[in-house]
Amino acid sequence: MGAEARIRIRQIERFAFRVEFGDGFPELLTDEPVPIGGGEGPSPEQLLIAGVSNCLCASLAFALGRYGQDGKGVEAEAIGHVGRNDEGRLRLQGIEVAIALGAPAASMDRIADVLARFERFCTVSESVKAGIPVSVSVRDGEGTRLR
């Protein structure tokens, strides 16, 4: 297996958690929106949407550079569509990411090459599209594996 991306998450109260990304990075407070949580930070759904969007923007910036194109900046707005599955459980059913470049397409002679390839560079969106296997274990306060 390749490189790892690690975080640590700790409950502060109810549905508020502190996410630690490691030395040198600021912590992030997450929470569920009102009325379930206190709405004190981004929700898990927003974090997933942000991860997909950020990775796509970074992949586009990478591809622009690889093809020697100056996009004059990359920005995006994203919407996550949440709905109920067949069991009535809330699920993220789709993510729309609208990316904008600062430069007109006419100023980038290889923009077609960039657009044809940039998504494949995105680790997060390509993984989410394919479905990511998730392994879950639960231990109690004494370290006994419960699940």
Side-chain angles (χ1 to χ4, degrees):
M1 202 171 248
E4 294 179 331
R6 289 181 180 254
I7 63 136
R8 173 174 287 244
I9 184 167
R10 296 176 195 227
Q11 184 180 27
I12 296 171
E13 62 180 336
R14 293 189 34 87
F15 300 103
F17 291 85
R18 183 178 68 230
V19 183
E20 301 169 0
F21 297 96
D23 294 339
F25 296 104
E27 297 173 351
L28 176 66
L29 175 67
T30 65
D31 199 357
E32 290 291 332
V34 174
I36 295 168
E40 297 295 319
S43 69
E45 295 85 358
Q46 288 174 307
L47 293 174
L48 180 60
I49 295 163
V52 166
S53 302
N54 184 180
C55 189
L56 283 166
C57 287
S59 295
L60 181 54
F62 175 81
L64 286 164
R66 185 172 186 192
Y67 286 95
Q69 306 299 289
D70 184 1
K72 303 270 190 239
V74 177
E75 64 180 59
E77 284 194 32
I79 300 170
H81 299 282
V82 179
R84 297 200 181 271
N85 66 8
D86 293 339
E87 296 176 342
R89 307 248 187 239
L90 289 174
R91 296 293 181 259
L92 197 55
Q93 297 178 331
I95 300 171
E96 292 178 50
V97 182
I99 302 173
L101 296 172
S107 70
M108 298 175 279
D109 62 341
R110 301 207 52 204
I111 191 64
D113 293 327
V114 170
L115 296 176
R117 292 169 180 83
F118 86 95
E119 283 188 68
R120 291 186 299 210
F121 293 117
C122 182
T123 305
V124 178
S125 69
E126 292 297 297
S127 299
V128 169
K129 284 180 191 178
I132 304 168
V134 177
S135 172
V136 179
S137 65
V138 179
R139 296 185 183 277
D140 71 6
E142 297 175 338
T144 303
R145 186 174 179 147
L146 305 176
R147 178 170 174 238

